[in-house]
Each structure stands twice: as C-alpha cells, then as structure tokens.
C-alpha cells in the first residue's frame, strides 16, 4: 500500500508552546499530595454545602414567560382576581350537592379553606352557583383555590396546605389537583427517585468500570471523579436556588449527566495512562504524556458540552434555564477534577494501577489475537465504505421515520403516574364534569367597559359563540351559545366586570386538540378594542411558539461553536462539518424512536407503564438535542484525536482510521454503556419527563457510539481520504496562530486488542 507523507500545516507541527502545560503536569506529579489534600477538603466542604439541596428546589418552569398569554393572565389576576386556579379540589358527597345538609357542609368546608394562610381566593358551586362547577351526576362539585405568590411559591404552599384539605370532611371526600399540587407532588417524587439514583446508578457504573478495567483501583478512579463533580454540582444548585428558581428535576438530570460524563472523562484518561505506562514505564512520564493527549481532549470536550448546554439559556422557560446553569456547572467541574485531581491520583498510584487485576490474562490473550472486534469493524467499513455507510444510514433513517408525525405539548399532571392523586383527580374531573377547568379560554378586553359598551360586548360575544369550535361564551352581561344569548347575568357574571375593562370565558367544543386552533381564531377575530387571549391552551401554544422562535438561534450557536472548536482542535475544515452532520443524523434517529415510544405508546411493557398523551413535551427535544449533540461531539473528539495521532505517525490515511477506531472503539463503547447505566434511574423513573430524558439520551449515546462511530465515521473518512486533514492556507495560518500546539508523540503500540502495524516507521513530520 502506498504511504503518504502527512501534509504540512497545523495538524502536524511539533509542540512549541506546550512547555507551560507540561510544566503544570510535572508540578502535579511532583506535588500530588498537596492537590489531593486540597481536593479532599474542598470535596468535604461541597458535600456539607450540598446537604438539604433538594428541599430548596422547586418544580415548574415549563411555560414561557413574556408571551401574550402570560401578559393576559397577569392582567386578569391584577384587575379581576381571575385566571387559572392553583388548586382544584374535587369534592364528592354521599348525597346530591344541592341537598341542604351537603350544602351546609360544603359551605363550611369552603369557609375553612379560605381562612388558610396563603389562600387568596376560593370559588365553589355553593358560593357562586355556577353549574359548570357541578358534576354531571350532581353528587360532586369543584372548589377552585388561588394562592399568593408565583408558581414556585404556590407549589410550596400547596405542599403544606393540601394534606389538611383532602380526605374525609364529614359527608364529603376531597381530593386535589391543579398546577400547584402537580408541581408539589412531582417535586416530592423526584426527591425519592434521586435517592434511588444514588443507590443504583453509581454502584452499577462502578461494576461496569470494574469489568472494563479488571482492577478495582483503576475502576474507582473515574468513579471518584464523578463523585467529586456531583458533590460540587449540588453545592452549586444550593447556591443558585437562593437567587433563582431551580427545577427539582435539575438534581436528577445533572446527577445522571454529570456522573456519567465525569466517569467517561476519567475512563478516557485512565485508559490512556495504562497504555502510556506500558510504553514508557516511568509513571511521571506516563502522566505527562496522558495529559498532553487525553487530558487536552477532555478540556476541548468540556468546552464543547458547556457551549451546547449554554444555548438552553436562550429559551424563555425556567426549567431549561435552570438545567442549563446546572449542566454547565457539572461539566466544568468534571473537567476541572479530571485535569487537576486525576493526574495527582495517578501519580500516587503509579505502577499499582493494575494491582489485583483478575482479568489481566484475558486482556493479554486478546492483545495477542490478530485483531479486535472494533479493528475488524473498521477494516470492513473502510474496505467497502459505500455499502457499510449506506447500511448505517438506512438503519438510522428507519429509526427517524416516526419523527415525521411528531406533535408537541406542555407538561401537565399526566407526567406523573396514574395513581398519584393530582393525576387521578384530574382524570376524574375531566370525566365527571361537562366543563374541565383546564380548557376555559379567557379573552381579555382591557379597554372595553361592560356597562358603557354593552351593545358592542353583546355583538362580540354573539360572534364568538357562533364559531363552530366554540361551545359557550360567558360574559358580564350573560351567557351565549350558537350566536344567541341563552341566559342573563348571574352571580358569577360579576367576576367579569371591572371599571373600564372586561373579559369573556370561552369554552371550546369537540376534541381538546382543537383548542390551540381556537386560540388562533380568537386572536384573529376583530374585537371592540385591543384583546388578549389567555388560558391553558393559549399557554401551550405560546410556549411552543416561543421555543420555535428561539430554536434557530440556539442551533446556529451550537453548530457554529462546534465548527469553531473542532477546527481549532484538528485544523481541518471537513472534520467539523462531518461531526455536525453525523450528530444531526444520530439525533434525528433518536427523536424518531422517542416519538415511536412516548408519543405513539409502543414498548410500554419494556420501559414501564406511563401515560401516553399523543405528544412530546416541547422542551424535551430541546434539552436532549443540546446534551446528546454535545456528547456526540465528545466522542468525536476522542476518536479524531487518536486517528490524527496515528496519521501523523504513519502518513497512511486508511491505516490511521482503522488503528484509531480500533484503539478507541472499545473505550468509547464502554463510556457509552457507563453513561447509559448512569441514566438508568431516569429510564426507570415513574415520572414520564425523566423517563423520556433518560431513554432519549441513552439511545442517542449508544447509537452514536456504535453505529455512527463504528461504521459511519470510518466509511465517510475512507471516502473523503486525505481531504479530511486539509484546510485552505488562510485557515491553516489562523489555526497555527490560535489552535493548540500539537505534540508529536508516537502512539503506544500496546493498545488493547490492536495489532501493531508492521513496516510503519515513525517519522518526524515537517513543521
């Protein structure tokens, strides 16, 4: 086979500026105990600071702020003391609600509820006589409760208030639902599952590491990096909770994400250290060589992941913003721990890294084999790149097909298990009442006086009630159906009137799916003056639109940042473009699988029962896109860095691709398995949102680490050949100025399971 001399330029120059980094590494080797004692003390302080963090977290943040619906709800609350109730109490009696005995008991219950601290207003059938608050069978009624404060304060108040309001109250049996109680119950359930994650996820990850390394010493090193990173993240969450609302789910997600990513970083560094130690025998030199290669890649990887997660700050959802800050914190802590603490640990352990390695004979036997599984896969993919790449693309396209009929929605009580009170009560309310509390739309007319402009209001209400998608319209001057006034004002109509403004309650007809279309109709229909539409369907529509508006900017920042960072890392133009394309293909396949499972309801017996809503929560694909795309680039960095090393040493492009994948394929596979294991508590969660995140990220990582890295990448790089390492002269000059120095360091021939290529002489590349 003809061999090519590596091209001149930034990808092959000697290390001219790495002395500072090398000096820092050697200082770490000479003074490891200073670093370890400092890390131990800091870790203890972080652990103490993290105590009690879950109790300071809240839930919610799934609704966009600053939208038309949010402005209208604020005005309704301010001027009319109206809006979506925080709590909805379902009250069932042992006799008709209108029975005098039941009525007296109900009125007394409403009075006691209104006297509770933190309660702003209480409405019920017994106080306002609104038949919409009466069940179809006449034996149940709804009591709506508005609480003081924002959604997070309301959730905390609901957690303290609801247990005393529910249960048996004389002849009444009370259960609760509503946004505040849903948030409170989701927060409590996430705390319980966080404990399960700590008891299950971490030990399983250590077992996988033990299987991978054989040595308990080597296995515990990445686990120690993960533990320090998670402790630091909880301390950061505790601090953040004092200045901004932080989602309770942030602790679950960042624990899984942070621990998995930190363990991956530790795995990459420890694996490279064992390889270098076998080549140079001196632990100090092995640590320095490891940190110049794998350590440098970890820093670029952390920067990429942090940039991708930072784009979640662009979305006007508190849930995503709190996850962005928490995610960036854990990534940076993982990188810092890997770069500072892990080299010190390796220096202290030295050659004892494999002490007690029960699997050493098996590994030696594998090294003596002709080729490893990944080596054979890489050779096959590069020998027939069109066939291999085509099959991989076909497989990923098949997974992506369901994404073509995706539908988006917003989280509600259905993310909780069906037996949970808030979910069960909401289901019962929807079944028993003709007007579900969560389907009413409010049309606010801030400049229309219901008394002075009664004729205009009457004509507008008639037009609205005549719409085919509208069932009923209630105003301060009466109730309307099918374009006609059906009844005059009642006691409930007073809630629609204030001086100089009014609002209309509009109830949709037919399938709730059509409510969002009704919102658009109401906003487009001319009104007597300026008008705003609020209500839960309006919230959902505005939230989806807000996410769609921010999505192009987030994608542009992610793609642009990845292209820049990978160019600075490799000096290549094609490799960054390839990384973006591969990440996009992999993510589309994962999104298709998510639609197939969570929207369409397949495989519930395998993943555990959850409520199928016929849609995906709108913010979930955004979160998974940011995290999974970053992890895709993470694996790309470790793979390309090794291929580039091989290419500098040999100049043979195909041999470099095969050797690079063979040397890193098993490690990347183990890393993806560890990450998936860390996500297992999310996958098995009873909360559908956490289950969706866990399944989506685990599938994305596993598919990327196997199909994409093992088949698609080598096939693509084989077809593009030496163009992978090309850059035009202006960009090459820019890389020489801004990019990191590239140490010429022949890769160790002792990589596990990889045969040493014969006849490849190590040569010094031209600078």
């Amino acid at each position: 086979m003809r061999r090519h001399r590596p091209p001149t330029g930034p990808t092959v120059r000697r290390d001219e500026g790495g002395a500072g980094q090398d000096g820092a590494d050697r200082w770490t080797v000479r003074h490891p105990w200073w670093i370890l004692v400092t890390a131990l003390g800091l870790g203890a302080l972080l652990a103490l600071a993290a105590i009690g963090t879950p109790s300071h977290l809240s839930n919610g943040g799934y609704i966009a702020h600053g939208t038309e619906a949010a402005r209208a709800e604020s005005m309704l609350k301010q001027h009319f003391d109206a809006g979506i109730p925080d709590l909805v109490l379902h009250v069932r009696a042992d006799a008709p609600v209108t029975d005098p005995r039941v009525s007296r008991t109900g009125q007394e219950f409403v009075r006691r509820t209104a006297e509770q601290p933190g309660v702003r207003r209480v409405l019920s059938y017994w106080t306002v006589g609104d038949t919409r608050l009466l069940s179809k069978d006449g034996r149940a009624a709804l009591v709506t409760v508005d609480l003081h404060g924002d959604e997070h304060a309301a959730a905390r108040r609901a957690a303290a208030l609801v247990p005393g309001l529910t249960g048996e109250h004389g002849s009444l049996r009370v259960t609760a639902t509503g946004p505040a109680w849903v948030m409170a119950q989701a927060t409590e359930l996430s705390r319980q599952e966080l404990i399960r994650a700590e008891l299950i996820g971490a030990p399983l990850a250590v077992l996988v590491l033990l299987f991978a390394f054989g040595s308990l010493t080597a296995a515990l090193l990445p686990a120690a990096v993960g533990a320090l990173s998670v402790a630091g993240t909880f301390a950061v969450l505790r601090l953040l909770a004092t200045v901004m609302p932080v989602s309770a789910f942030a602790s679950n997600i960042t624990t899984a994400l942070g621990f998995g990513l930190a363990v991956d970083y530790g795995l990459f560094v420890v694996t490279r250290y064992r390889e270098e130690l076998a080549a140079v025998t001196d632990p100090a030199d092995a640590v320095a060589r490891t940190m110049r290669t794998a350590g440098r890649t970890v820093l670029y990887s952390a920067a990429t992941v942090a940039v991708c997660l930072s784009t979640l700050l662009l979305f006007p959802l508190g849930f995503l913003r709190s996850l962005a800050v928490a995610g960036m914190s854990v990534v940076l802590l993982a990188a810092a721990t890997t770069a500072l603490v892990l080299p010190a640990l390796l220096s202290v352990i030295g050659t004892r890294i494999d002490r007690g390695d029960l699997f050493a004979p098996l590994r030696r036997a594998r090294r003596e084999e002709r080729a490893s599984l990944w080596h054979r896969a890489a050779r096959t993919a590069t020998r027939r790149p069109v066939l291999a790449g085509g099959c991989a693309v076909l497989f990923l396209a098949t997974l992506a097909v369901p994404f073509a009929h995706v539908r988006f929605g917003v989280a509600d009580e259905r993310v909780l298990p069906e037996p949970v009170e808030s979910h069960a009560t909401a289901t019962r309310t929807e079944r028993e009442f003709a007007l579900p509390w969560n389907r009413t739309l409010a049309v606010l007319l801030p400049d229309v006086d219901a008394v002075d402009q009664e004729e205009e209001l009457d004509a507008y209400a008639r037009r609205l009630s005549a719409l085919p998608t509208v069932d009923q319209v209630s105003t301060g001057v009466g109730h309307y159906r099918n374009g006609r006034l059906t009844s005059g004002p009642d006691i409930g109509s007073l809630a629609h009137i204030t001086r100089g403004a009014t609002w209309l309650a509009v109830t949709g007809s037919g399938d709730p799916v059509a409510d969002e279309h009704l919102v658009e109709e109401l906003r487009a229909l001319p009104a007597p003056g300026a008008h705003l539409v609020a209500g839960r369907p309006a919230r959902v529509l505005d939230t989806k639109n807000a996410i769609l508006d921010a999505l192009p900017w987030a994608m542009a920042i992610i793609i642009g940042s990845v292209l820049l960072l990978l160019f600075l890392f490799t000096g290549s133009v094609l490799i960054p473009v390839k990384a973006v394309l591969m990440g996009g293909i992999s993510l589309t396949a994962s999104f298709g699988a998510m639609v197939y499972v969570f929207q369409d309801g397949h495989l519930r017996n395998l993943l555990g029962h959850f409520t199928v809503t016929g849609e995906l929560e709108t913010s979930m694909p955004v979160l998974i896109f940011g995290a999974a795309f970053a992890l895709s680039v993470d694996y790309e960095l470790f793979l390309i860095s090794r291929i580039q090393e091989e290419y500098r040493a040999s100049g043979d492009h195909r041999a470099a691709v095969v050797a690079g994948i063979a040397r890193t394929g098993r490690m990347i596979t183990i890393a993806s398995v560890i990450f998936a294991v860390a996500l297992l508590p999310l996958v098995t969660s009873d909360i559908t949102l956490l289950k969706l995140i866990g399944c989506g990220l685990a599938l994305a990582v596993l598919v990327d680490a196997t199909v994409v890295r093992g088949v698609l990448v080598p096939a693509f790089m084989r077809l593009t050949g030496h163009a992978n390492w090309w850059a035009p002269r202006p960009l090459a000059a820019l890389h020489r100025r801004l990019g990191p120095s590239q140490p010429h360091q022949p890769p160790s021939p002792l990589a596990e399971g990889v045969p040493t290529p014969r006849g490849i002489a190590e040569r010094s590349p031209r600078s």
Side-chain angles (χ1 to χ4, degrees):
M1 179 184 296
R2 180 185 175 188
R3 306 208 182 273
H4 297 265
R5 178 178 293 274
T8 61
T11 60
V12 292
R13 56 195 172 92
R14 286 182 180 274
D15 185 4
E16 298 172 355
Q21 179 184 354
D22 186 65
D25 294 335
R26 293 196 176 277
W27 188 92
T28 301
V29 172
R30 289 195 299 270
H31 305 89
W33 289 108
W34 283 97
I35 294 177
L36 294 180
V37 170
T38 302
L40 184 62
L42 184 59
L45 290 176
L46 291 174
L48 289 175
I51 293 176
T53 296
S55 63
H56 291 82
L57 304 181
S58 58
N59 220 311
Y62 306 105
I63 302 298
H65 298 287
T67 62
E68 177 180 327
R71 294 195 305 272
E73 288 172 14
S74 177
M75 296 174 68
L76 284 168
K77 184 176 182 180
Q78 180 181 356
H79 297 296
F80 298 92
D81 206 19
I84 299 175
D86 296 306
L87 290 175
V88 177
L89 304 178
H90 180 282
V91 183
R92 177 155 285 280
D94 57 3
V97 169
T98 54
D99 182 87
R101 176 180 59 86
V102 175
S103 181
R104 286 193 300 270
T105 306
Q107 291 175 2
E108 176 62 20
F109 173 76
V110 172
R111 184 189 63 79
R112 290 199 309 270
T113 302
E115 293 174 351
Q116 296 296 318
V119 173
R120 183 166 55 85
R121 187 181 67 156
V122 179
L123 294 177
S124 73
Y125 170 77
W126 296 292
T127 56
V128 298
D130 190 340
T131 56
R132 294 176 298 177
L133 300 177
L134 184 64
S135 67
K136 298 173 184 177
D137 64 0
R139 290 178 174 267
L142 295 182
V143 177
T144 64
V145 182
D146 294 314
L147 303 172
H148 289 291
D150 60 12
E151 61 176 348
H152 304 286
R156 288 191 291 270
R157 185 62 205 141
L161 184 65
V162 169
L165 295 178
T166 54
E168 300 289 342
H169 292 269
S171 60
L172 307 178
R173 173 152 185 88
V174 183
T175 57
T177 186
W181 187 227
V182 171
M183 290 169 59
Q185 291 202 298
T187 301
E188 179 59 29
L189 190 55
S190 69
R191 290 173 187 167
Q192 298 173 10
E193 295 194 344
L194 180 61
I195 298 175
R196 186 178 66 179
E198 295 171 346
L199 296 177
I200 296 177
L204 284 178
V206 172
L207 287 177
V208 176
L209 286 168
L210 182 60
F211 176 78
F213 284 129
S215 165
L216 183 61
T217 302
L220 289 177
L221 291 179
V225 174
L228 279 174
S229 302
V230 171
T233 300
F234 270 90
V236 170
L237 290 176
R238 178 69 177 85
L239 178 63
L240 287 174
T242 63
V243 296
M244 64 178 289
V246 179
S247 171
F249 291 162
S251 57
N252 302 74
I253 295 170
T254 53
T255 296
L257 179 64
F259 186 78
L261 195 60
V263 169
D264 281 358
Y265 287 164
L267 171 68
F268 291 137
V269 171
V270 172
T271 300
R272 187 59 184 256
Y273 172 74
R274 296 173 84 185
E275 186 178 321
E276 297 295 348
L277 187 63
V280 300
T281 68
D282 180 23
D285 287 341
V287 170
R289 290 164 64 94
T290 297
M291 299 312 296
R292 282 199 301 268
T293 52
R296 166 176 160 270
T297 307
V298 164
L299 296 179
Y300 265 83
S301 170
T304 304
V305 175
V307 167
C308 290
L309 292 177
S310 70
T311 58
L312 298 180
L313 294 171
L314 297 175
F315 297 92
L317 275 71
F319 170 70
L320 289 180
R321 288 179 174 177
S322 62
L323 284 178
V325 178
M328 288 188 292
S329 301
V330 74
V331 169
L332 297 178
L333 284 169
T337 306
T338 304
L340 298 175
V341 179
L342 192 53
L345 284 171
L346 292 173
S347 300
V348 170
I349 293 173
T351 57
R352 298 187 296 273
I353 187 74
D354 288 329
R355 179 166 293 182
D357 186 354
L358 302 177
F359 301 101
L362 295 178
R363 255 199 311 279
R364 281 195 297 270
R366 275 204 301 269
R367 274 201 295 266
E368 293 168 359
E369 293 177 358
R370 185 169 178 268
S372 69
L373 174 63
W374 281 105
H375 187 261
R376 292 195 298 271
R379 283 194 309 178
T380 301
T382 54
R383 184 182 299 118
R384 301 183 182 277
V386 175
L387 178 61
C391 290
V393 170
L394 182 62
F395 172 75
L396 296 174
T398 302
L399 289 179
V401 166
F403 192 60
H405 63 267
V406 65
R407 292 185 63 254
F408 294 110
V410 173
D412 54 30
E413 68 280 345
R414 292 173 296 178
V415 304
L416 299 176
E418 291 179 357
V420 172
E421 182 183 20
S422 55
H423 186 170
T425 303
T427 303
R428 188 181 310 120
T429 300
E430 186 173 354
R431 183 176 62 249
E432 295 180 0
F433 289 79
L435 175 64
W437 60 271
N438 54 5
R439 288 192 61 187
T440 301
L441 291 170
V443 180
L444 175 64
L445 302 174
D447 302 319
V448 174
D449 191 293
V451 177
D452 296 340
Q453 300 172 267
E454 181 177 350
E455 291 184 1
E456 295 178 66
L457 179 60
D458 175 74
Y460 182 58
R462 290 176 185 273
R463 288 200 305 272
L464 292 186
S465 66
L467 294 174
T469 52
V470 172
D471 178 52
Q472 178 178 321
V473 176
S474 298
T475 72
V477 296
H479 305 278
Y480 298 79
R481 284 180 184 271
N482 301 318
R484 300 191 308 273
L485 178 67
T486 56
S487 62
D490 53 28
I491 188 172
S493 300
L494 296 176
H496 295 261
I497 300 175
T498 191
R499 186 175 181 83
T502 188
W503 67 281
L504 301 84
V506 180
T507 307
S509 62
D511 195 330
V513 174
D515 287 350
E516 292 178 32
H517 178 66
L518 176 58
V519 173
E520 296 175 332
E521 282 189 287
L522 296 177
R523 288 174 174 173
L525 192 69
H531 66 294
L532 302 171
V533 180
R536 183 168 170 177
R539 279 183 172 189
V540 174
L541 178 63
D542 287 354
T543 297
K544 292 196 290 188
N545 289 337
I547 289 177
L548 290 176
D549 290 343
L551 190 59
W553 291 101
M555 293 181 65
I557 292 174
I558 288 177
I559 292 173
S561 301
V562 168
L563 291 175
L564 177 61
L565 286 170
L566 280 178
F567 168 73
L568 292 177
F569 184 78
T570 63
S572 164
V573 171
L574 187 58
I575 286 177
V577 174
K578 182 221 12 139
V580 169
L581 290 176
M582 299 296 175
I585 293 173
S586 177
L587 274 178
T588 305
S590 300
F591 288 161
M594 288 161 54
V595 170
Y596 181 79
V597 174
F598 291 95
Q599 178 179 307
D600 299 342
H602 301 286
L603 304 180
R604 279 197 292 174
N605 292 333
L606 178 63
L607 296 176
H609 186 76
F610 55 89
T611 301
V612 178
T613 63
E615 56 193 20
L616 292 184
E617 208 286 328
T618 308
S619 62
M620 291 301 100
V622 174
L623 172 61
I624 293 174
F625 172 79
F629 189 81
L631 291 169
S632 172
V633 176
D634 180 39
Y635 294 150
E636 175 80 3
L637 282 167
F638 283 96
L639 176 60
I640 290 299
S641 65
R642 200 56 186 265
I643 293 176
Q644 200 172 38
E645 284 184 54
E646 301 287 346
Y647 184 57
R648 292 193 200 105
S650 68
D652 187 325
H653 173 69
R654 184 191 173 198
V657 171
V658 172
I661 290 175
R663 294 175 188 275
T664 59
R666 179 176 177 273
M667 180 178 63
I668 290 175
T669 302
I670 293 172
S672 66
V673 171
I674 290 174
F675 193 84
V677 166
L679 293 171
L680 187 60
L682 298 185
V683 175
T684 59
S685 172
D686 290 329
I687 301 174
T688 306
L689 281 183
L690 295 181
K691 186 185 292 289
L692 174 60
I693 293 171
C695 290
L697 284 177
L699 180 63
V701 167
L702 291 173
V703 168
D704 189 87
T706 53
V707 179
V708 176
R709 301 301 142 202
V711 180
L712 202 52
V713 167
F716 182 91
M717 294 190 73
R718 178 69 176 91
L719 290 173
T720 50
H722 294 275
N724 285 287
W725 315 110
W726 173 85
R729 286 187 178 181
L731 291 180
L734 179 65
H735 180 265
R736 283 193 293 270
R737 180 181 297 272
L738 300 179
S741 55
Q742 302 283 349
H744 175 60
Q745 182 171 297
S748 168
L750 300 176
E752 190 172 309
V754 181
T756 305
R758 295 183 179 179
I760 299 180
E762 296 175 357
R763 65 187 75 175
S764 297
R766 293 176 293 172
S767 59

